[in-house]
Amino acid sequence: MVSAVAKPDLHPFDPLTAEEIEVAISIVNKAHGDVLFNVVSLHEPRKAEMTKWLQDSTNLPKPARVADVVVIAPGGKVYDGLIDLQDGKITKWELLEGLQPIITMEELQAVEHVCRKDSKVIEQCEISGIPKEDMHKVYCDPWTIGYDERHGNTIRLQQALMYYRPNPDDCQYAYPLDFCPIYDGEKKAIIGIDIPKVRRPLNKAAPINYHPAAVEAAGGYRTNLKPIDITQPEGVSFEMKGRQLEWQNWKFHIGFNYREGIVFNDISYNDKGTVRPVFYRLSLSEMVVPYGNPEHPHQRKHAFDLGEYGAGYMTNSLSLGCDCKGSIHYLDAEFPSREGGIRTIKNAVCIHEEDAGILFKHTDFRDDSTIVTRARKLIVQQVFTAANYEYAIQWIFHQDGTIQPEIKLTGILNTYAMNPDEDLGGWGTQVYPGVNAQNHQHLFCLRIDANVDGPNNTVFMSDAMPSDAPVGSKENFYGNAFYAKRTKLATTGQAATPYNGDTARTWDICNTNRLHPYSGKPASYKLVSREVPRLMPKEGSLVWKRAGFARNAVHVTKYSDDQLWAAGRHVPQTSGEPSQGIPEWMGDGSESIDNTDVVLWHTFGVVHFPAPEDFPVMPVEPITLILKPRNFFDNNPVMDVPPSYASTPSQVAANNAGVYDAADKISKLAFGKDCCSTGTNGTNGVNGH
Amino acid sequence: MVSAVAKPDLHPFDPLTAEEIEVAISIVNKAHGDVLFNVVSLHEPRKAEMTKWLQDSTNLPKPARVADVVVIAPGGKVYDGLIDLQDGKITKWELLEGLQPIITMEELQAVEHVCRKDSKVIEQCEISGIPKEDMHKVYCDPWTIGYDERHGNTIRLQQALMYYRPNPDDCQYAYPLDFCPIYDGEKKAIIGIDIPKVRRPLNKAAPINYHPAAVEAAGGYRTNLKPIDITQPEGVSFEMKGRQLEWQNWKFHIGFNYREGIVFNDISYNDKGTVRPVFYRLSLSEMVVPYGNPEHPHQRKHAFDLGEYGAGYMTNSLSLGCDCKGSIHYLDAEFPSREGGIRTIKNAVCIHEEDAGILFKHTDFRDDSTIVTRARKLIVQQVFTAANYEYAIQWIFHQDGTIQPEIKLTGILNTYAMNPDEDLGGWGTQVYPGVNAQNHQHLFCLRIDANVDGPNNTVFMSDAMPSDAPVGSKENFYGNAFYAKRTKLATTGQAATPYNGDTARTWDICNTNRLHPYSGKPASYKLVSREVPRLMPKEGSLVWKRAGFARNAVHVTKYSDDQLWAAGRHVPQTSGEPSQGIPEWMGDGSESIDNTDVVLWHTFGVVHFPAPEDFPVMPVEPITLILKPRNFFDNNPVMDVPPSYASTPSQVAANNAGVYDAADKISKLAFGKDCCSTGTNGTNGVNGH
C-alpha cells in the first residue's frame, strides 16, 4: 500500500501538494486500474474537528489529509472517492449515475482536433465557405453542452462553438461559424451537428486585432504614456507563514482549489490584542453566464464557469510587472493531469499591496488644523480564462476591517455569425461587420461562511424606510423621519430575498449574542452590494432551474460540511430537475437559521448589452461589493495608522510648533525644474498646510 | 471709470483672476458704496456665443469677461449684478426680495464668537453644566438655518450647532450640547434659542480623539507599514496650456467656482484624429444631506452644501504627498473676501495620474499566447470641508473614454446630545457614550451638459427585461430571451425617472443623428450609477419641496443659460414653495427634449446609518458612477495602449521568438534576496508567460 505521511509544516487548509496528489493517484490506480482523473483535490477538514484544532492547534492532532477524487473509468463510469492520505486508504468509492464531473482542460483541448477531421464538420465548413484544405484554419471553443434535453446526461458531451482564423494570429471571434457540432467525450467523436434553419456564410470582413503587428499596421502604439514606477524599498508589510498571511491586523489562510480558485479560511482581525473571527471560509462559489438569444441552440450558452470548468483549472500563470506592480508574492497551484500526472500552474495567485488614497481626513474650518492619513490595501488576485473571456478576481482587504471582492471582466465577447442586415431581434448587437454579440449576464455567487465573533450568527435584511407617519403628523411633522427597517431572516425560506436599490437594501450578518457597548446593536458584517440585477431568464426556464442560486440576491442556509458550491457538486449536464445546490439545501424553507452556524450566499453581477467598444477585446469592466464591519469595533479601528500630516488647534495657535509631518517626500510637482529628476530626494513642492 | 483689459492668455472659461475680482469690486464700490461681497465669480460666456468661438477661436473675438456679483448692502439688501470687465460697466443691478445669497466663510466664522458672549447662550451652557468661565471652551458649527417657517427668509439667519471642548484639541463632536441658538447676520446677534423639552446635560464621557497625542496615549501608531514609493521619472503624461488639459485623447478645460468647485468645459475625445465633443460642461451641481430625526429643530439639518456654502468656498488647500502621491499639478483658487479683498486658496485642485491595474487581457487557452495591457487614469481632485464633514471629489478620466466621478466621504459625523439610556427611536445610533449620530443621506446632483457628437442629444432610459413570451412558447421556448428595453424620454415630464436596480437601469445620452456603422445604434454616453436610494424625506416634506432635484434619479431639461444649479441660484432660506431649480425648469413637463440641446441631472448618493466605526473620524466611504461611451467608437479605443506583454500563437509556436515584452522591470518579488534592494534595476522575478 502506498501512503504518505503529511509533512508537519502543512496546514490542514493547504491545497494538496504535488506529492500528495501523486500518492492519491497511485492509490486509486492500484485499486481501480487506469482511470482518468477529473479531480484530485483537498477534501477540506470537517468543520467540527477543524474548529477544535484551530482553537488548540498546539495540543490537538492535525485533522487528517484527505483527497477528494473524481475519476472517469472505462465505459464512462464516474466515481466519487475519498482517499485518506495518512493511512493510504480509500474511504469512499461511489459510482455516480446521471452525473457528469467537471470538464478538464485536456477534455476541452481535445475537441478542436476531432472537429477538424470530422467529415460532417468539414461539409458544414464547406457550406460556410471554407474549403476543406483550410480546415487547419477552423477553430472551436469547446463548452460543455450545458443541458440539452435531446441528449440527457448519461453521455459526456461538449458543444463546439466554431470559428475561423484566416491567419493563426487573427482574432477568431470576428469569424464565427453558424453551426454547432456535438462532441462525445467517451467516443471522442462528433455525434451530431446543430444546424440553423437560416444559414450564415463565413464573414468576409477584414480582420481586426489587438496584437502588436495589427496595432503597428493601424498606426502604431501611442507614445505619450510616461512610466509610473511603484517601489517598496523596505519590502512588503505583510508576512507569510506557509499560506497563512498576516497584514494590518488581518490574519487568514489562502487556499486554492480547481473549482473556486482562491479560498480564504479562518479570517480574523486582531482588535487591539483580541483575535476576533470574522469568516470561517470565503470564496466565489459559482457563477452563471446566461445568453439572451432564444433561438436553439443558444439557450445552451449559460456557462457555469466554476462548476463546469473550474476557476482553478482555468487560472492564468501571472507575471511580474504585468498583472500587478510593486513587490509581489506568488503562490503556485498544483493539479492532477487527466492521465494521472501533475500539472503545475506557476504564479496562480499574486499578493501585493497598493496605496489606496485617503483613509481619512478632517480639517477644522476655524483654524485649518488638519489630519490626513493615507490608506493601504492588500490584494489577493487570480485571473482565469474561460475560452473567450477573462475574469480577474481581486480580493481586497482594507485596514478598517472591510473586505472587498472585485471582479474585473475583460477578454473577448462570445460571438455568433450574422448575415448582412440581419435583424438581430434585440437579442444581440452587431459589434463588427458580420459579428453578432449576444446579450448576456455575468452572475456570480459569493459564499460567506460567517463566523462573526463566533459561529452563531443571524442574518438581518436592512432597508432604509421613511417613517409611516404622514407629513404634518405629530410624529413626523416635517416629513424627514427615516430609519433602518430590520427584518430578521429566521428561516431558509424567509432568507431567500431579492435586491432593492430604492431602499439601499443591505444584509447584516450579526452576532446577536454580542451587543455593542455603545450602540446596543449586534456585532455585524454588512453586505453592501449594488450591482444586483435580477436573473433575466424567466421563472421555470432552463437557466432558472439549473442556477437556483441566482433566483435571489441572497440565500442563507445552515452550515453543513460539503455544501460548498451553489449549483451543486457536479454541474455539467444537470437538468435542474430537481434543482441542485441551494434550492435543495433550503429544503421546505422551514429550517431555522437564527443564531446558529450560517452560510450566506450572495448572487450579484451585471447585464451586458454588448457594444462595438467591447470588440475585439474588452476594456476592463469592474464589479465590486463590500463586507463592512458595523457595530463590531468600539470605534474607528484605523486611528493608529500613521498620518501623512496632523496639526491640532493648539499647534496651529503656536505657529505649527510640534506638528506631525510625515508627508511623502518622494512626490513632486508635475511641472517646473524639479518635476522630472530621478534622485530619491525630490524637492518637495508647495505645501498647503 | 475703472476697467480691465482681459489678458490675452485667459481662456473665456477661466475663473476670474484676482485682478479681475479686484476690478469688479472696485467698480461696485464706486457705484454702490461699501457693500459686503458674497460672490464675485465668472459669469460664464453665453453658450451660443461661446460655441461659435470654440469652433473658430482664431478669427472670432473672445467672449467678454463678465463678473457675476452678489452683494449685501447696508440694511441687508441683496443685489445680483453683472459687471462687464472689459468696459468697466455694471450691466445688471437687481435688488432681490426674499432671497438670501450663499453664506461665506467669514459669515460662518462670526457666529461662534457672538455665541460665547451672549447671555442667553451662557445661561443655556450653565444649564448644560458648563460654568460661564468656560465659555471659551464652547464651540459652534454654524449652519444656515435652512428654512424655518417661524423666521421666513427676509432676515439672514444661521443656526448654531453647539459643542464643548474640554481642551482645544479635543474632538467637540463627543460633546454636543442640546440647544440651538439662532444668529441674525445683520444684527450680528443671537435672536433666539431653540431649547428641547427634554434636556440633555453635557456628556461626561472621556475624550476620544485621533490626533497624534491621543493615539500615542492609546498605545501609539502601528509600525508595520512599509513605504510604497510612486515616482514618475520622466514626468507626467498630461499637458497643460493654462487650464486646458490634454491627456490620452482627452481634452478639456478645468474651471473652478465658489459654488460647484471643479467645473469641466468643452470635454472632447480625439478619436483617431477626429476631435469629438462629449460634454459641454460637467460638474457637481448641488447636494443635500437630510437628517432623519423628526424632532424640532433637527428637520433644519438638511445642508445644501453647494448652494448654501459652496464647494469652492469650503475647499481645502491640498498638499504634496498627502492628498495624492506621484507627480502632481495644482491649480489655485481666488475668491473675494467679504470685505472686498482677495482670498487665495493655494492648491485648490490637484491633478495626477495613477496606474489603474489591468486595462485588458486575453489568453488563448490553446497555447497560452497572451496579451496584458495596463491602464492609466487621470484624476482631478478637490477636497472640501463642510463643518464636520469632508468630501473628496475625484473626477477620474479613463483611457477608454469613460469618465468616473468618485466621491469619498470622510470627516466627522454630525452629532447630537443624548441622555444615558435614552431611546433614540431608530432615528440615530449611540456611536460613543452620550453621542447620538442621526440617520442621514448624502445626495449629490451631477449636472451633465451633454454634447455627444454635437449639441443635439436625446436621452433614453434602458432597462434589462425578460422577453414577454412565456417559457415554452415558440418565441422563448427555453425562457432565456432578454433585451434592453429602451424608453425615449421625449419631454421633461417623461424624463423625471426613478432608479431601478432590478433591471440594471441605465440612461443613455444619445446622438440619434449619428448611428454606429456596425451596431446601427446612436452614438451615446451611458450613465451607469448603482448607488441611487430614494429621497427618504416624504413627498410634500420640507426637504422634498426644497430639494426638488432629489425626487428622481434623473431629470432632463432643455439647455438654458444660467440654469446651472439644481436647487436654484440662491438656496439659503428657500421654503420650497414654489420649488426652485429643476421643478421650476421642467415647467408643466411638456417641453420637448428630443434631439435638442439637453442637460441631464442625476441624483445619486448613500443612506448613512451611523455606527461606532464612523467615530470619532470616519474611514473613507467611496461612492462612484460612470459615464461610458457606447456605440460611440468604431471599436475598442485603447488597443494602441502599449501592452506589458504580448505573444501571438505563431510566436508561441516559434518558441516565443519576437514576442513583445515591456513588462515593468521595477517590480520585484516580495520575498527572497532581491526583494528589498533599492537599485533601479531590480532582478525581475519568475515570469508566467
Side-chain angles (χ1 to χ4, degrees), chain A residues 16-26 28-29 34-41 70-71 104 106 313 333-345:
Chain A
L16 296 188
T17 62
E19 295 73 23
E20 289 177 313
I21 295 170
E22 280 168 347
V23 167
I25 287 170
S26 160
V28 170
N29 280 340
D34 274 352
V35 293
L36 297 168
F37 290 88
N38 281 61
V39 175
V40 181
S41 187
V70 185
V71 304
T104 63
E106 293 103 320
Y313 279 168
E334 280 163 336
F335 297 124
S337 72
R338 201 158 190 247
E339 303 289 337
I342 296 293
R343 182 176 149 235
T344 299
I345 301 178

Side-chain angles (χ1 to χ4, degrees), chain B residues 358-531:
Chain B
I358 294 171
L359 175 59
F360 58 84
K361 181 171 190 180
H362 182 60
T363 300
D364 191 326
F365 68 93
R366 294 166 187 82
D367 59 7
D368 285 340
S369 64
T370 194
I371 189 165
V372 53
T373 302
R374 288 192 78 80
R376 187 70 61 88
K377 59 187 176 184
L378 179 88
I379 299 168
V380 183
Q381 178 179 242
Q382 70 168 118
V383 182
F384 68 86
T385 298
N388 53 297
Y389 219 64
E390 260 72 17
Y391 297 94
I393 314 287
Q394 293 200 331
W395 298 88
I396 306 170
F397 290 80
H398 294 275
Q399 293 165 303
D400 69 353
T402 299
I403 300 178
Q404 179 182 17
E406 178 159 311
I407 302 175
K408 298 182 171 183
L409 313 179
T410 180
I412 308 184
L413 294 163
N414 170 268
T415 58
Y416 187 62
M418 65 180 282
N419 285 318
D421 301 320
E422 180 177 341
D423 176 4
L424 299 181
W427 316 121
T429 301
Q430 179 170 260
V431 294
Y432 189 69
V435 179
N436 172 10
Q438 295 170 351
N439 308 338
H440 56 281
Q441 294 190 276
H442 300 268
L443 297 174
F444 305 90
C445 186
L446 179 70
R447 182 180 183 276
I448 306 169
D449 185 345
N451 199 18
V452 178
D453 268 336
N456 292 333
N457 291 169
T458 309
V459 180
F460 291 78
M461 182 169 77
S462 177
D463 290 276
M465 296 287 282
S467 160
D468 286 339
V471 180
S473 67
K474 188 165 166 265
E475 297 81 9
N476 192 20
F477 190 78
Y478 295 96
N480 61 310
F482 71 91
Y483 68 109
K485 180 179 177 185
R486 285 165 61 79
T487 308
K488 184 198 271 191
L489 306 180
T491 64
T492 56
Q494 287 169 17
T497 42
Y499 181 58
N500 188 341
D502 206 39
T503 64
R505 177 168 289 175
T506 59
W507 289 266
D508 301 347
I509 304 170
C510 298
N511 189 323
T512 54
N513 313 297
R514 188 180 185 285
L515 303 186
H516 193 282
Y518 310 151
S519 71
K521 297 176 183 178
S524 74
Y525 259 72
K526 183 184 282 290
L527 169 65
V528 184
S529 181
R530 300 290 175 228
E531 295 251 25

Side-chain angles (χ1 to χ4, degrees), chain B residues 96-116:
Chain B
L96 303 182
E97 301 284 356
L99 285 175
Q100 294 294 341
I102 197 161
I103 304 256
T104 63
M105 293 304 287
E106 292 103 322
E107 290 179 283
L108 294 172
Q109 297 282 8
V111 184
E112 193 164 87
H113 308 287
V114 174
C115 279
R116 285 177 177 167

Side-chain angles (χ1 to χ4, degrees), chain A residues 109 112 140-141 149 165 169 208 221-222 224 226 229-231 233 235 237 248 291-293 299 316-317 319-320 322-323 325-329 355 358-359 361-366 374 376 385 388 390 410-411 427 429-430 439 464 467 478-482 502 516 518-519 521 531 534 536-538 541 609 612-615 617 620-621 628 630-636 640 648-650 666-671 676 684-685 687-689, chain B residues 109 112 140-141 149 165 169 208 221-222 224 226 229-231 233 235 237 248 291-293 299 316-317 319-320 322-323 325-329 355 358-359 361-366 374 376 385 388 390 410-411 427 429-430 439 464 467 478-482 502 516 518-519 521 530 534 536-538 541 609 612-615 617 620-621 628 630-636 640 648-650 666-671 676 684-685 687-689:
Chain A
Q109 297 281 8
E112 193 164 87
C140 90
D141 280 8
E149 69 281 13
R165 294 187 194 173
D169 294 345
I208 180 166
Y221 284 112
R222 58 184 76 179
N224 52 12
K226 307 285 175 63
D229 291 343
I230 298 172
T231 51
S237 315
Q248 296 292 296
Y291 283 76
N293 187 308
Q299 84 284 352
N316 289 191
S317 180
S319 73
L320 199 58
C322 293
D323 301 289
K325 284 167 79 95
S327 293
I328 321 296
H329 183 57
D355 178 86
I358 294 171
L359 174 60
K361 181 170 190 179
H362 182 62
T363 299
D364 191 324
F365 69 93
R366 295 166 186 83
R374 288 192 77 79
R376 188 69 61 87
T385 298
N388 53 296
E390 258 75 15
T410 181
W427 316 122
T429 301
Q430 179 170 260
N439 309 337
S467 160
Y478 295 95
N480 62 311
F482 71 92
D502 206 40
H516 194 282
Y518 309 153
S519 71
K521 297 176 184 178
E531 296 253 24
R534 59 173 289 182
M536 287 296 146
K538 292 172 100 92
S541 69
F609 296 113
E613 283 85 353
D614 303 330
F615 197 75
V617 66
V620 152
E621 184 173 328
K628 183 173 180 165
R630 300 303 272 172
N631 302 288
F632 186 84
F633 296 113
D634 279 357
N635 36 56
N636 178 336
D640 67 333
T648 64
S650 61
I666 307 288
S667 291
K668 293 183 181 200
L669 294 180
F671 305 113
C676 316
N684 205 331
N687 194 303
H689 302 304
Chain B
Q109 297 282 8
E112 193 164 87
C140 89
D141 279 6
E149 68 281 10
R165 294 187 193 174
D169 294 345
I208 180 166
Y221 284 112
R222 58 183 77 179
N224 51 12
K226 307 285 176 62
D229 291 344
I230 298 172
T231 52
S237 314
Q248 297 292 295
Y291 283 75
N293 187 310
Q299 85 284 353
N316 289 190
S317 179
S319 73
L320 198 57
C322 294
D323 299 291
K325 284 167 77 94
S327 292
I328 321 294
H329 183 58
D355 178 86
I358 294 171
L359 175 59
K361 181 171 190 180
H362 182 60
T363 300
D364 191 326
F365 68 93
R366 294 166 187 82
R374 288 192 78 80
R376 187 70 61 88
T385 298
N388 53 297
E390 260 72 17
T410 180
W427 316 121
T429 301
Q430 179 170 260
N439 308 338
S467 160
Y478 295 96
N480 61 310
F482 71 91
D502 206 39
H516 193 282
Y518 310 151
S519 71
K521 297 176 183 178
R530 300 290 175 228
R534 59 173 290 183
M536 287 295 146
K538 292 172 100 92
S541 68
F609 297 113
E613 283 86 352
D614 303 331
F615 198 75
V617 66
V620 152
E621 183 172 328
K628 182 174 180 163
R630 300 302 273 171
N631 302 290
F632 186 83
F633 296 113
D634 280 356
N635 36 55
N636 177 335
D640 68 332
T648 64
S650 62
I666 307 287
S667 291
K668 295 185 181 196
L669 294 181
F671 304 112
C676 316
N684 205 330
N687 194 303
H689 303 304

